[in-house]
Amino acid sequence: MTVALLSMQSITKEFPGVRALDDVNFEVHSGEIHALCGENGAGKSTLIKILGAVHPHGTYDGQLNINGVEQRYRNVRNAEQAGIAVIHQELALIPEMTVAENIYLGREPRKFGIIDKTRMYQDAGHLLTQFGLDIPLHRQVYKLGIGQQQLVEIAKALSRDARMLVLDEPTAALTKSEVDILHKILKQLRDKDVACIYITHKLKEIFHIADRVTVLRDGKTVATQSIDECTEDKLISQMVGRELTTFFPDRINALTSTSEAAVALKVEDLCTYPLEPPQLENISFEVRCGEVLGIAGLMGAGRTELINTIFGAYSGKWSGSVYRDGKPVKIHSPRDAIRQGMALVSEDRKQYGLILENDVVRNMTLASLGVSKEITSFGVLNQNVQYQKSMHAVDTLRIKTTSLDIPVRQLSGGNQQKVVLGKWLMTRPSVLFLDEPTRGIDVGAKAEIHALTAELADNGVAIVLVSSELQEILGMSDRILVLHEGKITGEFANENLTQEDILRCAAGT
């Protein structure tokens, strides 16, 4: 049997109060796409940070071998020199620099000691053409969408001629066409004997792209198996340690029970006037108490812009009317929306939902400071109540954290998302906007968030759910609106509705 390109043996890694990895074994062969699965907090990111020397030799126990030879990387550059390219969830791009400059950052071609920009742009263009990536080389990265930024990060890794490519949640922000491009690239690399470690919570992608899969749970290796020996149910059971009988709570009777309920939110003739599309045109809809209204559409259809505008978080000009409980309201800022009993779980939790360097308790109570008289009275913060309410939210939402005082950036993605939810639920909203609430989190956490959403609706909260996952839209919604290029192209009661019905409207047909 050939020696594995990568062999990690008996890897143990501890942080203060937490054993993140416990005697983990993991190996990858050349020319293999190997999926690494597990719930948030299972240890996946910690393992690849050891491989990429973010956690250098000496900070963990165990042995890391490349082609049978033990490696003792002191820093990230050592790992890169060994042919290991890691693309973490947090992109390492310089926003003000161009695409080409980012691809060759720190490795720019030089002529007589001066950066040869002509050659750099030529090499970058050749690289993107080789892998079928259509990204403007001279555009500054901050002007690109999140999906294209992700592809730039991938191109940056490909430019190093890596022997092993590690992708941590690479498709979380990609459109379907961009995912197809990425998978085509990975198959090309596999044919060239490059190994790939693929981390994702999207199980269907694993069965589409991977050769083998390793499952981690609670920092331990549970199983390594050929993808042909595995089923989705088996994989889920290995990840969560139990069978998930259903992903979506039963909401069969919700449509009937909410049809006569009071209208919690009504929007009439909402239009936006941005500098760039999508431009919302004459959007009108209503959502009733206890109803889950799904909003579907392709990326760029205007879904996020719609709920941001209603919530007062849109920076451009807009017109139209918003009614709360039948009364017209003026919302000029998120503060106005919060005072009207509205809450928004944003698409990008790290940029808009959390202050990553602040601790759990401060993040949890941030939105309540100007609303709850229990937490603040006459401008004075009651820290005892602040901690009590935060601890109650942590227990209720089953947030895994060693303390309320640790920075929220140290939590896994799923637990960060629960902190965002807890923050808004503490304001006791009667209208809740959820923008991609389960993006980038594991199946167990998804099921918990789905159950919580259903419970809130059952308790009379009006919920507007934006999701790119049609299964989630169909599984959770009572009614569904479909947007295409800023216009409503379909409105359905969720009875015998299919993904094809939604996609036809989403495509404008």
Side-chain angles (χ1 to χ4, degrees), residues 110-158:
R110 294 179 179 271
K111 188 175 183 179
F112 306 117
I114 300 173
I115 294 176
D116 188 345
K117 287 197 172 185
T118 300
R119 183 184 161 194
M120 180 175 68
Y121 278 92
Q122 287 176 345
D123 290 349
H126 177 71
L127 178 73
L128 296 186
T129 300
Q130 179 184 354
F131 290 103
L133 297 175
D134 184 18
I135 307 173
L137 292 173
H138 291 81
R139 184 166 296 176
Q140 291 170 296
V141 162
Y142 78 87
K143 295 180 180 179
L144 302 177
I146 294 294
Q148 283 194 313
Q149 289 183 26
Q150 182 78 59
L151 292 175
V152 172
E153 189 73 86
I154 291 167
K156 183 177 173 182
L158 295 174

Side-chain angles (χ1 to χ4, degrees), residues 67-110:
N67 285 328
V69 180
E70 183 179 2
Q71 306 296 313
R72 300 186 175 187
Y73 302 136
R74 298 186 303 274
N75 51 51
V76 173
R77 185 172 291 276
N78 289 160
E80 290 177 347
Q81 290 169 343
I84 298 169
V86 181
I87 302 173
H88 299 282
Q89 291 184 47
E90 296 81 13
L91 302 183
L93 300 173
I94 308 299
E96 292 76 17
M97 298 181 76
T98 67
V99 169
E101 289 168 341
N102 269 282
I103 290 174
Y104 289 102
L105 184 63
R107 302 173 296 111
E108 298 88 349
R110 294 179 179 271

Side-chain angles (χ1 to χ4, degrees), residues 204-506:
K204 284 182 170 53
E205 289 184 8
I206 292 172
F207 289 93
H208 176 68
I209 193 72
D211 302 303
R212 288 195 299 157
V213 56
T214 291
V215 179
L216 298 183
R217 185 173 73 240
D218 297 329
K220 299 179 181 180
T221 308
V222 175
T224 295
Q225 57 221 324
S226 167
I227 204 68
D228 297 330
E229 301 170 356
C230 201
T231 65
E232 192 167 321
D233 288 341
K234 180 181 178 181
L235 198 56
I236 291 170
S237 179
Q238 291 172 339
M239 289 168 61
V240 302
R242 65 190 189 280
E243 289 188 12
L244 287 180
T245 55
T246 179
F247 286 105
F248 304 110
D250 185 4
R251 294 191 51 77
I252 293 174
N253 298 321
L255 185 66
T256 303
S257 62
T258 59
S259 60
E260 301 300 324
V263 175
L265 174 72
K266 184 176 181 180
V267 175
E268 285 186 345
D269 298 325
L270 189 148
C271 299
T272 59
Y273 309 97
L275 297 177
E276 297 180 2
Q279 177 177 323
L280 301 176
E281 295 183 33
N282 300 317
I283 302 292
S284 297
F285 68 91
E286 62 183 34
V287 56
R288 296 178 179 271
C289 297
E291 181 183 26
V292 179
L293 176 67
I295 299 184
L298 304 177
M299 188 171 289
R303 299 166 302 167
T304 295
E305 289 76 10
L306 173 59
I307 61 175
N308 281 349
T309 301
I310 299 169
F311 195 70
Y314 178 68
S315 57
K317 295 182 179 180
W318 66 279
S319 64
S321 302
V322 177
Y323 299 84
R324 282 284 288 115
D325 298 326
K327 299 177 182 178
V329 293
K330 296 292 184 182
I331 298 176
H332 302 290
S333 69
R335 182 187 295 271
D336 294 336
I338 293 170
R339 287 173 175 166
Q340 291 294 332
M342 300 160 70
L344 168 62
V345 176
S346 55
E347 178 183 20
D348 188 341
R349 60 177 172 263
K350 293 188 177 180
Q351 184 170 356
Y352 300 114
L354 299 166
I355 302 176
L356 294 174
E357 298 304 318
N358 276 3
D359 56 30
V360 174
V361 67
R362 291 182 184 179
N363 274 282
M364 191 76 77
T365 55
L366 187 62
S368 302
L369 294 180
V371 178
S372 173
K373 293 183 180 179
E374 296 176 86
I375 297 177
T376 54
S377 181
F378 300 104
V380 178
L381 176 66
N382 188 327
Q383 291 186 331
N384 288 332
V385 175
Q386 185 184 30
Y387 269 80
Q388 289 170 4
K389 286 186 172 292
S390 297
M391 183 57 73
H392 177 72
V394 166
D395 292 340
T396 302
L397 297 174
R398 292 193 286 182
I399 299 172
K400 294 179 182 178
T401 176
T402 56
S403 167
L404 292 178
D405 298 317
I406 66 169
V408 76
R409 61 177 169 78
Q410 293 185 13
L411 303 185
S412 66
N415 287 303
Q416 287 180 358
Q417 186 72 336
K418 289 181 181 180
V419 171
V420 176
L421 275 167
K423 175 186 75 172
W424 287 115
L425 295 182
M426 204 176 287
T427 67
R428 298 178 182 175
S430 52
V431 177
L432 176 61
F433 297 99
L434 300 174
D435 193 358
E436 304 286 3
T438 62
R439 172 175 286 172
I441 64 175
D442 60 73
V443 288
K446 278 187 178 183
E448 290 179 359
I449 289 175
H450 291 155
L452 176 62
T453 302
E455 181 182 343
L456 291 169
D458 290 341
N459 289 327
V461 177
I463 296 174
V464 180
L465 170 66
V466 172
S467 178
S468 298
E469 296 187 26
L470 292 184
Q471 282 186 326
E472 185 170 64
I473 286 285
L474 288 168
M476 290 300 301
S477 306
D478 303 313
R479 284 189 304 120
I480 297 170
L481 295 182
V482 186
L483 295 186
H484 171 73
E485 294 183 353
K487 300 177 183 178
I488 295 177
T489 53
E491 181 174 352
F492 303 95
N494 193 2
E495 296 177 305
N496 302 317
L497 192 62
T498 67
Q499 294 189 25
E500 288 73 18
D501 296 328
I502 296 175
L503 283 171
R504 276 193 289 270
C505 292

Side-chain angles (χ1 to χ4, degrees), residues 181-198:
I181 291 171
L182 173 61
H183 286 177
K184 181 180 177 182
I185 290 171
L186 296 184
K187 289 175 181 177
Q188 288 176 335
L189 294 173
R190 178 171 58 189
D191 293 341
K192 296 178 181 178
D193 239 16
V194 175
C196 174
I197 300 173
Y198 194 90

